Amino acid sequence: MSRPQEPHRAFFPFGNPFRMISPKGSQLSPKLLQLLNSFEETLAQRMIKLNPTNKSDIFSLFSLSWMKLAMESISETYNDIKALISNLDLPVCDWDEKWIDVYLDISVKLLDICNAFNSELSRLNQGQLFLKCAMHNLESPPSKQLARACSSVDGFRKHIHTKNPRLDKCWTILDSLVESLDLPKVKNSAKGKILMRAMYGVKVEIVFVYSVFTAVFSGSAEKLFNLNVSETYLWAQAFMDLQTSVNKEIRNTSNRKPIALTELEAVDVTLKRLYPMIQEGSASDHEDVFQNSVTELRTVGDSFSGGIELLTKEVDGFFEIVLSGRDALLSNLRADGSKIEPKKMQTQTGNVGQVVR
C-alpha cells in the first residue's frame, strides 16, 4: 500500500464518528450511560498519565520505561473492553456480524504489530551479547583483553544500527487501522452503540501508542499520525493534548538528530568515551577515567538490558490479552451455533496458529 511521505497528516476524512454510533434521538439508560462514562473517564486518566508534565519528563518519551508504561496502558484499556462487554450483558448471539468483524480485524492487526515489536526487542537483546562480552574483557587485565573488547564494541555498534525490515510493515498495518476507525452504523441497539464507541477509543489509543513505538524503533518521525477526535468523547481533550505534546517532541528531536532509545543513547555516549582508550591501548595511561567509564558502561548497560526485558514482558502480555479475547469470542460463537469456518490465522509477521472467523 503506497502513501505520500508527509510529516503532518490529519485524519478524520469521514467526519464525526459519534454521529455514526449515536444518531439523533437515541437515548441511553442511566445504567448504560454510567458504564460508558466510567470507561471513557478511565481512558482519559490513562492518557493524562502518559503525557509528560514538564520538559525533563519529555525526554522519557524515548525511554523503555515510558514504552513499558504505554504498553501497560493499552493492556488495561483492552481488558476494560472485555469487562465492558461482560457488563453490558450483550450475548454474542446478539452481536451484529459487522461488530464481530471489527473486533477480529482489530485483533489480528494488533497481533501482527506485537510480533514486529518482539522481533525488534529480540534484535536489541541480541546486541547485549556483544556488550556483555565487551564488559567481560574490559574488566579483565587491560593488557591482554583490550583488543577483544574493541572487537566486541565494533560488533555491538554494527548490530544495533542494523535496520529491522519488519518495522516498515507496522506503518502499513497502522494505516489500515486508521482507515478502519470509521465504525459500523448501529441501529436499534443502545448496547451496540456503547460497544462500538468504546472500541473506537481502544483503537485510537493503540494506534497512537503503536505509532510512537514504531517511530522510536525505526528512528523516523516521517509517518506519525495526527488523529482528529470528536469532542463528544470524554477522553478527547486528554488525547489531543497527549498527541500534540508527544508528536511535537518526536518531530522536533528528529529534525536535530536521529531518534534513539534513551537507554541506548546512554550506552553509545559511554562507548564513545571508552573506545579511543581501548582502540589505542592507552587505558593504563588514563586509569581513573578508564575505570570510571567501565563502571558507567556497566550501569547503563544493565539499564538497557533490564528495560528491554521489562518491555518484552509487557508486549508479550498484551499479545496474550488480545489472543485470549479472540479465543473467548470464537468459543462463544461456536457455543451459540454461529456458522463460522475456522482456519489457521496467518498474520503478516508470523503464524500464531489460532483459528479465526
Side-chain angles (χ1 to χ4, degrees):
M1 173 176 159
S2 61
R3 60 138 124 217
Q5 302 293 312
E6 299 177 358
H8 300 278
R9 296 181 297 160
F11 297 85
F12 241 70
F14 7 77
N16 180 358
F18 181 70
R19 287 200 297 268
M20 289 182 279
I21 61 177
S22 186
K24 292 181 180 180
S26 64
Q27 296 292 328
L28 298 179
S29 69
K31 179 181 178 181
L32 293 180
L33 187 59
Q34 182 181 9
L35 285 173
L36 175 61
N37 288 346
S38 177
F39 176 87
E40 294 198 352
E41 288 168 358
T42 300
L43 181 56
Q45 289 303 311
R46 291 202 182 102
M47 292 176 175
I48 291 171
K49 187 177 179 181
L50 288 177
N51 199 353
T53 56
N54 57 61
K55 186 66 178 177
S56 61
D57 286 343
I58 286 179
F59 294 102
S60 68
L61 291 173
F62 311 116
S63 71
L64 291 164
S65 59
W66 185 90
M67 297 173 83
K68 174 180 176 291
L69 182 66
M71 282 303 306
E72 289 174 347
S73 180
I74 62 176
S75 293
E76 290 167 355
T77 302
Y78 206 89
N79 273 329
D80 281 355
I81 274 284
K82 294 163 67 174
L84 179 65
I85 291 173
S86 176
N87 290 332
L88 285 173
D89 192 23
L90 184 61
V92 172
C93 59
D94 290 342
W95 280 40
D96 188 292
E97 185 175 348
K98 291 179 292 185
W99 309 349
I100 298 172
D101 289 340
V102 167
Y103 189 92
L104 294 177
D105 180 65
I106 294 172
S107 64
V108 74
K109 288 180 171 64
L110 300 186
L111 294 174
D112 273 327
I113 299 182
C114 277
N115 280 332
F117 288 165
N118 265 329
S119 75
E120 176 62 9
L121 290 168
S122 177
R123 189 187 70 83
L124 292 173
N125 195 46
Q126 289 169 6
Q128 292 297 306
L129 297 177
F130 290 101
L131 199 58
K132 288 177 180 179
C133 185
M135 286 300 308
H136 173 75
N137 290 317
L138 288 171
E139 292 171 341
S140 299
S143 59
K144 298 181 179 179
Q145 305 296 339
L146 288 184
R148 295 179 183 177
C150 187
S151 176
S152 296
V153 171
D154 289 337
F156 173 78
R157 285 175 165 173
K158 181 178 180 180
H159 180 84
I160 287 298
H161 291 100
T162 300
K163 294 297 183 181
N164 185 349
R166 288 191 173 186
L167 294 175
D168 292 334
K169 296 180 180 179
C170 291
W171 291 118
T172 302
I173 301 170
L174 286 168
D175 266 337
S176 65
L177 279 173
V178 169
E179 291 168 0
S180 68
L181 279 173
D182 53 331
L183 301 170
K185 293 182 180 180
V186 179
K187 298 180 180 179
N188 305 320
S189 174
K191 293 181 179 181
K193 293 182 178 70
I194 292 177
L195 176 61
M196 287 295 99
R197 183 177 171 112
M199 288 175 68
Y200 173 74
V202 172
K203 289 176 74 173
V204 168
E205 185 187 20
I206 291 175
V207 166
F208 167 75
V209 169
Y210 272 14
S211 68
V212 172
F213 275 39
T214 306
V216 173
F217 281 148
S218 66
S220 172
E222 291 183 358
K223 302 175 184 179
L224 277 175
F225 299 107
N226 289 329
L227 301 176
N228 291 327
V229 175
S230 168
E231 294 179 356
T232 56
Y233 296 95
L234 299 182
W235 47 266
Q237 189 60 54
F239 171 74
M240 295 305 292
D241 290 344
L242 172 64
Q243 179 177 245
T244 299
S245 176
V246 172
N247 284 3
K248 178 181 178 181
E249 187 59 30
I250 291 177
R251 287 178 175 128
N252 287 344
T253 299
S254 68
N255 288 334
R256 301 192 308 269
K257 61 179 183 178
I259 300 171
L261 287 167
T262 302
E263 294 85 352
L264 184 55
E265 276 195 314
V267 171
D268 189 53
V269 168
T270 307
L271 286 176
K272 284 180 179 178
R273 187 162 54 251
L274 266 171
Y275 194 74
M277 289 184 282
I278 61 177
Q279 187 179 41
E280 299 166 5
S282 59
S284 58
D285 298 332
H286 309 277
E287 186 65 27
D288 289 343
V289 175
F290 177 78
Q291 291 300 331
N292 289 338
S293 296
V294 170
T295 299
E296 183 179 345
L297 182 60
R298 169 68 68 184
T299 300
V300 296
D302 287 345
S303 176
F304 182 43
S305 178
I308 291 173
E309 181 180 357
L310 292 174
L311 181 56
T312 299
K313 288 181 180 178
E314 290 298 329
V315 173
D316 287 342
F318 183 59
F319 186 97
E320 291 302 322
I321 289 171
V322 176
L323 202 55
S324 66
R326 289 182 60 91
D327 288 345
L329 175 60
L330 291 168
S331 295
N332 287 332
L333 287 171
R334 295 190 195 95
D336 290 333
S338 301
K339 294 181 179 180
I340 58 174
E341 296 181 3
K343 61 180 179 180
K344 288 288 183 180
M345 176 172 63
Q346 180 70 44
T347 65
Q348 292 186 27
T349 51
N351 184 1
V352 298
Q354 300 293 324
V355 292
V356 297
R357 188 171 181 278

